[in-house]
Structures are given as structure tokens and as C-alpha cells.
Amino acid sequence: MDTVVISIGGSVLVPGEKDFEYLSELGRLLTELSSQHKLYAVVGGGRTARFYIELGRNLGADEIYLDEMGVQATRLNARLLISALSGRANEYPPETVEEAVELGNRHEIVVMGGTTPGHTTDGVAALLAESVKADRIINATSVDGVYTKDPKKYEDAERIDALTFEGLLELCRTSSWKAGPSNVFDPLGAETLVRTKIPLLVLNGRDLPNLAAAIRGEQFSGTVVSGEEE
Ligand code: UTP
């Protein structure tokens, strides 16, 4: 049985549009796939995290405190996904990767949010994948792959179909950590992938048939980050 870690952005899970439809269909899909695959889902904070982080920053909170608010938002979103999994997953999001690994012995699907300040749920997903020796990590985002620049801002951004771990790290490097949205994948996540060499598949998480194909290890539309360039 393949082990798959899925990092689902909050902006994919609850963008504020067709949230109920998407969550119930995603719940059905993961439930169905959990009979053939060991699944771990790490859920991001999306709009809720951004709202609290921006407001808190303007009020003078420090970056660690803002990160902690972000983590709480990720756990709130994790509970929504848990609600859609009709008892197949743990009831409460674990607070550490170690706890998630342990829950994996008792539940078909494990759902968690963030852990500690200083990274995003992408970093958590990469560390969890290392701990459970995952076959692949799927980054279910609001864009359909990794682009040369932000496709929401630049019309001439081009999708990269295949990328090496080092290439990803190069794209993710930022000078300093700040609470709030990151770009492609966070630096901790990219560094962990360089070390573990677990393939990362980046795709649009709202396209459920495509997400299902990636979970099954079949051909999908998006970017593959692996040891090999195309
Ligand atoms: P997200 O994982 O949703 O980050 O966590 P993001 O960058 O907004 O979304 P993606 O990864 O690009 O999809 C929301 C915020 O919560 C804090 C960070 O401030 C992050 O920006 N956080 C989250 C942590 O400090 N630690 C964690 O383990 C997770």
C-alpha cells in the first residue's frame, strides 16, 4: 500500500466558493482512496490565517505570536476536513509530526494542520512524509503547477512540468521568515525534499479527478519535482 502525504492549501479547501460541495466531494474521494492508500493530509490556514495575521501585525503582535495564530487557523481548517471524512480520520488534529505518525497506526486517514512557528504546512507535510516514509507528497494548491513567476500577477509566467529538488529550493529561498503566505513551497519543505528525495507533485487541488490520479500514482496535470529534470 502506497503512503501519500497531501498538503492542501486553505485557499483550496475553503476559498469561500462552493465550500460545502468541494469539501464533501473531497471527503468522499479520500475515503474511497483510503482503502488502497495510506493517506495523511496537512491542511493550510488560507483566508482565516491571513485575516488574523494581517490584523494582528497591524496591532503590533510579534512574528512568533502571528505564526501561532496562523497555526490555530490551520487546525480549524483541519477540523473541517476531518468533519467530511465520516469517522475515517482522527477526531482532533495532532500538534506534532510524531503524534501524527502515531495516529497513523489507528486511523485510515490522518489529518493535521501546522505545528510550530517558523514555517508553513508545506514544511510540516515534508517532515511528515519523511517520518512515514511516504512514496510521494502532493501539494494541492490554487494553481495548476509551479510557474516561472506568479501566474496570478504575470501573464507571461510559464508552467514548469518537471523540476529537480535543488531547482525547487532555489525558487523557494527567501531572505527572512515572515508569518503569512509563502510562494511555491516553503524553504523548510524544499530543504527536507533535497534530503529525503521524496517526489513532490504540484497541482490544482480543486480539480478532483486530477488529484485522484496523482494520489493513485497515475499520470496527472501539474509539476513533478523529483531527482530528474525532464
Ligand atoms: P499555511 O500553511 O496556510 O501557510 O499557514 P501559507 O503560506 O499561507 O499557505 P501555503 O503553504 O502557501 O498554502 C498559515 C500561517 O500559519 C503559520 C505561518 O505564519 C503561515 O504563514 N504556520 C503554519 C506556522 O507558523 N507553523 C506551521 O507549522 C504552520
mmCIF file of all heavy atoms in Angstrom, residues 10-11 14-17 19 45-52 73 77:
data_model
loop_
_atom_site.group_PDB
_atom_site.id
_atom_site.type_symbol
_atom_site.label_atom_id
_atom_site.label_comp_id
_atom_site.label_asym_id
_atom_site.label_seq_id
_atom_site.Cartn_x
_atom_site.Cartn_y
_atom_site.Cartn_z
ATOM 1 N N GLY A 10 -5.244 26.190 2.446
ATOM 2 C CA GLY A 10 -6.539 26.663 2.957
ATOM 3 C C GLY A 10 -7.343 27.337 1.859
ATOM 4 O O GLY A 10 -8.579 27.274 1.827
ATOM 5 N N SER A 11 -6.632 27.962 0.901
ATOM 6 C CA SER A 11 -7.335 28.645 -0.186
ATOM 7 C C SER A 11 -7.928 27.640 -1.177
ATOM 8 O O SER A 11 -8.749 27.996 -2.017
ATOM 9 C CB SER A 11 -6.389 29.597 -0.913
ATOM 10 O OG SER A 11 -5.256 28.890 -1.331
ATOM 11 N N VAL A 14 -11.181 26.001 1.511
ATOM 12 C CA VAL A 14 -12.314 26.905 1.780
ATOM 13 C C VAL A 14 -12.085 28.286 1.167
ATOM 14 O O VAL A 14 -11.870 29.266 1.874
ATOM 15 C CB VAL A 14 -12.603 27.036 3.306
ATOM 16 C CG1 VAL A 14 -13.533 25.976 3.783
ATOM 17 C CG2 VAL A 14 -11.313 27.010 4.145
ATOM 18 N N PRO A 15 -12.138 28.363 -0.178
ATOM 19 C CA PRO A 15 -11.897 29.663 -0.808
ATOM 20 C C PRO A 15 -13.082 30.633 -0.638
ATOM 21 O O PRO A 15 -12.983 31.804 -0.989
ATOM 22 C CB PRO A 15 -11.700 29.308 -2.285
ATOM 23 C CG PRO A 15 -12.420 28.021 -2.471
ATOM 24 C CD PRO A 15 -12.364 27.292 -1.156
ATOM 25 N N GLY A 16 -14.215 30.122 -0.100
ATOM 26 C CA GLY A 16 -15.394 30.979 0.033
ATOM 27 C C GLY A 16 -16.347 30.782 -1.133
ATOM 28 O O GLY A 16 -17.269 31.567 -1.333
ATOM 29 N N GLU A 17 -16.098 29.754 -1.928
ATOM 30 C CA GLU A 17 -16.937 29.463 -3.091
ATOM 31 C C GLU A 17 -17.148 27.957 -3.186
ATOM 32 O O GLU A 17 -16.163 27.201 -3.197
ATOM 33 C CB GLU A 17 -16.211 29.955 -4.342
ATOM 34 C CG GLU A 17 -17.143 30.299 -5.485
ATOM 35 C CD GLU A 17 -16.315 30.801 -6.659
ATOM 36 O OE1 GLU A 17 -15.744 31.902 -6.528
ATOM 37 O OE2 GLU A 17 -16.220 30.071 -7.650
ATOM 38 N N ASP A 19 -17.797 25.845 -1.034
ATOM 39 C CA ASP A 19 -17.017 25.183 0.008
ATOM 40 C C ASP A 19 -17.640 23.848 0.425
ATOM 41 O O ASP A 19 -16.945 22.847 0.567
ATOM 42 C CB ASP A 19 -16.885 26.094 1.238
ATOM 43 C CG ASP A 19 -16.040 27.327 0.941
ATOM 44 O OD1 ASP A 19 -15.281 27.300 -0.043
ATOM 45 O OD2 ASP A 19 -16.153 28.312 1.683
ATOM 46 N N GLY A 45 -3.948 27.310 6.316
ATOM 47 C CA GLY A 45 -4.846 28.242 7.020
ATOM 48 C C GLY A 45 -5.643 29.178 6.128
ATOM 49 O O GLY A 45 -6.645 29.753 6.570
ATOM 50 N N GLY A 46 -5.194 29.367 4.881
ATOM 51 C CA GLY A 46 -5.952 30.181 3.915
ATOM 52 C C GLY A 46 -6.333 31.572 4.413
ATOM 53 O O GLY A 46 -5.569 32.223 5.117
ATOM 54 N N ARG A 47 -7.545 31.975 4.010
ATOM 55 C CA ARG A 47 -8.026 33.334 4.315
ATOM 56 C C ARG A 47 -8.077 33.611 5.804
ATOM 57 O O ARG A 47 -7.827 34.717 6.258
ATOM 58 C CB ARG A 47 -9.458 33.521 3.806
ATOM 59 C CG ARG A 47 -9.656 33.395 2.353
ATOM 60 C CD ARG A 47 -11.101 33.642 1.987
ATOM 61 N NE ARG A 47 -11.993 32.586 2.474
ATOM 62 C CZ ARG A 47 -13.255 32.762 2.782
ATOM 63 N NH1 ARG A 47 -13.791 33.952 2.701
ATOM 64 N NH2 ARG A 47 -13.995 31.740 3.188
ATOM 65 N N THR A 48 -8.462 32.575 6.564
ATOM 66 C CA THR A 48 -8.616 32.765 8.008
ATOM 67 C C THR A 48 -7.263 33.135 8.614
ATOM 68 O O THR A 48 -7.159 34.089 9.395
ATOM 69 C CB THR A 48 -9.145 31.473 8.666
ATOM 70 O OG1 THR A 48 -10.251 31.038 7.894
ATOM 71 C CG2 THR A 48 -9.569 31.700 10.098
ATOM 72 N N ALA A 49 -6.212 32.391 8.231
ATOM 73 C CA ALA A 49 -4.871 32.681 8.746
ATOM 74 C C ALA A 49 -4.461 34.090 8.336
ATOM 75 O O ALA A 49 -3.990 34.879 9.159
ATOM 76 C CB ALA A 49 -3.877 31.651 8.209
ATOM 77 N N ARG A 50 -4.661 34.410 7.068
ATOM 78 C CA ARG A 50 -4.246 35.733 6.563
ATOM 79 C C ARG A 50 -4.944 36.859 7.315
ATOM 80 O O ARG A 50 -4.344 37.854 7.693
ATOM 81 C CB ARG A 50 -4.543 35.843 5.072
ATOM 82 C CG ARG A 50 -3.321 35.561 4.239
ATOM 83 C CD ARG A 50 -3.491 36.004 2.802
ATOM 84 N NE ARG A 50 -4.545 35.270 2.121
ATOM 85 C CZ ARG A 50 -4.400 34.034 1.682
ATOM 86 N NH1 ARG A 50 -3.256 33.398 1.835
ATOM 87 N NH2 ARG A 50 -5.387 33.422 1.070
ATOM 88 N N PHE A 51 -6.242 36.679 7.549
ATOM 89 C CA PHE A 51 -7.039 37.688 8.237
ATOM 90 C C PHE A 51 -6.461 37.985 9.624
ATOM 91 O O PHE A 51 -6.205 39.132 9.985
ATOM 92 C CB PHE A 51 -8.492 37.197 8.350
ATOM 93 C CG PHE A 51 -9.393 38.110 9.129
ATOM 94 C CD1 PHE A 51 -9.922 39.247 8.543
ATOM 95 C CD2 PHE A 51 -9.695 37.834 10.459
ATOM 96 C CE1 PHE A 51 -10.749 40.091 9.272
ATOM 97 C CE2 PHE A 51 -10.527 38.667 11.187
ATOM 98 C CZ PHE A 51 -11.057 39.800 10.594
ATOM 99 N N TYR A 52 -6.211 36.915 10.385
ATOM 100 C CA TYR A 52 -5.704 37.100 11.746
ATOM 101 C C TYR A 52 -4.275 37.621 11.754
ATOM 102 O O TYR A 52 -3.914 38.469 12.575
ATOM 103 C CB TYR A 52 -5.800 35.789 12.541
ATOM 104 C CG TYR A 52 -7.203 35.584 13.055
ATOM 105 C CD1 TYR A 52 -8.155 34.899 12.293
ATOM 106 C CD2 TYR A 52 -7.596 36.117 14.277
ATOM 107 C CE1 TYR A 52 -9.449 34.741 12.745
ATOM 108 C CE2 TYR A 52 -8.889 35.968 14.738
ATOM 109 C CZ TYR A 52 -9.817 35.278 13.966
ATOM 110 O OH TYR A 52 -11.094 35.150 14.410
ATOM 111 N N ALA A 73 -5.377 28.673 12.902
ATOM 112 C CA ALA A 73 -6.279 28.687 11.735
ATOM 113 C C ALA A 73 -6.140 27.386 10.934
ATOM 114 O O ALA A 73 -7.133 26.826 10.458
ATOM 115 C CB ALA A 73 -5.965 29.894 10.851
ATOM 116 N N ASN A 77 -9.165 24.648 10.061
ATOM 117 C CA ASN A 77 -9.454 24.104 8.731
ATOM 118 C C ASN A 77 -9.304 22.579 8.715
ATOM 119 O O ASN A 77 -10.061 21.885 8.035
ATOM 120 C CB ASN A 77 -8.534 24.724 7.680
ATOM 121 C CG ASN A 77 -8.985 26.109 7.258
ATOM 122 O OD1 ASN A 77 -10.130 26.496 7.502
ATOM 123 N ND2 ASN A 77 -8.106 26.859 6.627
#
